[in-house]
Amino acid sequence: MENKKHFRLAVIPGDGIGEEVISEGLRVVEHLSKTSNKFTFESDYFPWGCEYYLENGKMMDEDGLEKIKNHDAIYFGAVGYPTVPDHISLWGLRLSICQGFDQWANIRPVEFLPGVEGKLNHPNKEDLNWILVRENTEGEYSGVGGRNFTGRGPGKEVAVQSSVFTEEGCERIIRHAFELALKRKRKKVTSVTKSNAQQFGMVLWDDVFKRVSKEYPEVETDQWLVDAMAARFVLHPEELEVVVASNLHADILSDLGSALAGSLGIAPSANLHLDGRFPSMFESVHGSAPDIAGQGIANPIGTIGSAALMLEHLGLTEEAHLINEAIRSTTRGGILTADIGGTNTTKEVTDSIISHISSLYAKV
């Protein structure tokens, strides 16, 4: 086929169930590659993670970013293991990639899949569908600060952790939220801060939001404090469409949204670099779940949904749509892993998704 696209993926399975769900996601991408005949891909595997840390004293190669910077995308499993402190595993790998490649937009869709019992008492759950847009490189996760005064003796150490909000950082993520809203049936952006208590950085965010919103008169807007927004997720989720928030606040709210929809195991995400210099990274929202690793029961939907976000980012919009439709058909048919009330294995869920992709593609 003429003009067939070819992509190089940097695959980082990571820890725990990461390798299991990444393998299933790649099975889906491979099937789509053969079925659509529109693209090919190759995968370069990188064995970074906690096991690598225990052997080498670091989470990734010293020149790790250099090794993956020319790939078309990064497909990431999960990171974390009980024998490695979480702040070491997170900063040593995932955050190192996000900040090193300026992946400043984290996109986390929240969808109430058919056949999945959500944790929300709402009459029209399957109509609920919103997007968390998370500032992904600064804010509360800037990594600015330190610990000192250990020489004063036990109990007298001091830790300083500073949030950093730049006007540039606020504007680009807020503007991206508005651009996403323009593509949706309901054009609305909700900004979330805690500017009553954080009177500098988050007031700057509020000011930028007000300024940028004037450029999008066709988009409805509102602004909420994060504690009130957490309640709104539960009490009035029908009011949500595109929600934009800082690094910490969107991280917490997206987990809340996914839990309300049934499980973190169904939640995909994309860490986007949109300036063309570096690759973007795609990963499920859930963690490494070492307690169920190797049992074949991990939910692959979040990672497969992340593959859909990856293909969409690479310009394969139709293929991304087919994955999402196949996920819905699978859950609607009751093919579910234990975390969402089913008895199916990781492989069985993926097999069902692949089967539905074949059926859907035959109708295209």
Side-chain angles (χ1 to χ4, degrees):
M1 182 176 179
E2 294 184 4
N3 299 321
K4 183 184 291 189
K5 299 178 179 179
H6 181 74
F7 302 106
R8 287 181 65 213
L9 305 182
V11 179
I12 308 173
D15 306 314
I17 62 172
E19 185 170 353
E20 300 169 51
V21 292
I22 280 288
S23 296
E24 299 304 297
L26 289 172
R27 277 214 295 141
V28 172
V29 175
E30 177 70 27
H31 177 75
L32 268 171
S33 173
K34 294 177 179 178
T35 303
S36 71
N37 202 33
K38 290 183 182 178
F39 72 99
T40 58
F41 74 98
E42 58 183 298
S43 300
D44 296 325
Y45 283 81
F46 297 89
W48 302 330
C50 290
E51 185 174 345
Y52 184 89
Y53 173 83
L54 293 172
E55 294 177 357
N56 299 278
K58 52 193 174 185
M59 290 294 296
M60 62 189 297
D61 292 344
E62 293 289 350
D63 61 346
L65 296 183
E66 185 69 24
K67 288 180 176 178
I68 62 178
K69 73 175 185 180
N70 293 319
H71 286 75
D72 295 292
I74 304 163
Y75 199 28
F76 189 90
V79 65
Y81 207 74
T83 53
V84 178
D86 288 341
H87 68 279
I88 290 177
S89 60
L90 185 63
W91 275 100
L93 188 55
R94 184 192 174 277
L95 288 182
S96 179
I97 293 171
C98 289
Q99 291 195 346
F101 287 157
D102 196 25
Q103 295 168 349
W104 50 267
N106 180 234
I107 308 302
R108 294 187 170 188
V110 176
E111 181 176 358
F112 287 69
L113 294 171
V116 176
E117 183 180 354
K119 310 301 181 183
L120 191 63
N121 182 19
H122 193 278
N124 302 305
K125 281 199 283 276
E126 289 188 20
D127 292 334
L128 301 176
N129 183 329
W130 66 88
I131 299 177
L132 261 294
V133 180
R134 171 188 178 189
E135 198 291 314
N136 206 40
T137 56
E138 55 180 53
E140 304 89 345
Y141 295 178
S142 300
V144 176
R147 294 170 62 173
N148 210 335
F149 303 129
T150 55
R152 293 180 177 179
K156 296 183 179 180
E157 186 175 6
V158 175
V160 174
Q161 189 86 43
S162 297
S163 297
V164 175
F165 291 86
T166 67
E167 189 166 2
E168 177 188 17
C170 294
E171 179 166 349
R172 63 183 181 179
I173 195 64
I174 289 169
R175 189 174 296 280
H176 188 64
F178 275 95
E179 292 295 326
L180 286 177
L182 290 177
K183 300 175 183 178
R184 295 174 70 85
K185 184 176 180 180
R186 183 187 185 189
K187 297 172 176 55
K188 180 180 179 181
V189 176
T190 299
S191 174
V192 181
T193 64
K194 188 62 176 171
S195 51
N196 59 341
Q198 295 178 293
Q199 75 272 42
F200 302 123
M202 291 198 169
V203 171
L204 172 63
W205 177 291
D206 287 344
D207 291 343
V208 173
F209 183 79
K210 292 173 185 176
R211 173 169 58 80
V212 172
S213 66
K214 293 177 182 177
E215 300 179 34
Y216 297 86
E218 66 274 53
V219 178
E220 178 186 356
T221 63
D222 59 0
Q223 296 173 258
W224 290 84
L225 298 177
V226 65
D227 41 356
M229 179 51 65
R232 201 160 186 80
F233 265 45
V234 176
L235 300 177
H236 297 288
E238 70 280 355
E239 291 296 318
L240 307 175
E241 195 67 33
V242 176
V243 180
V244 62
S246 68
N247 215 328
L248 175 63
H249 292 168
D251 188 9
I252 295 170
L253 289 173
S254 62
D255 278 15
L256 173 60
S258 300
L260 292 173
S263 170
L264 296 187
I266 62 176
S269 78
N271 302 286
L272 301 178
H273 171 80
L274 297 170
D275 303 334
R277 294 176 294 125
F278 302 116
S280 296
M281 180 166 65
F282 303 85
E283 59 174 334
S284 55
V285 171
H286 66 70
S288 58
D291 56 319
I292 63 168
Q295 299 179 34
I297 60 173
N299 193 334
I301 288 178
T303 301
I304 294 172
S306 299
L309 292 173
M310 179 171 67
L311 294 183
E312 182 177 14
H313 179 71
L314 295 173
L316 297 165
T317 304
E318 180 182 354
E319 285 72 19
H321 175 74
L322 287 172
I323 290 177
N324 289 324
E325 283 299 313
I327 289 173
R328 296 181 191 110
S329 296
T330 291
T331 59
R332 186 180 294 112
I335 308 300
L336 311 169
T337 46
D339 61 308
I340 47 177
T343 58
N344 294 99
T345 65
T346 307
K347 181 179 183 301
E348 287 170 345
V349 172
T350 307
D351 288 343
S352 176
I353 291 171
I354 289 174
S355 176
H356 282 294
I357 287 173
S358 297
S359 300
L360 290 166
Y361 204 87
K363 299 175 183 177
V364 174

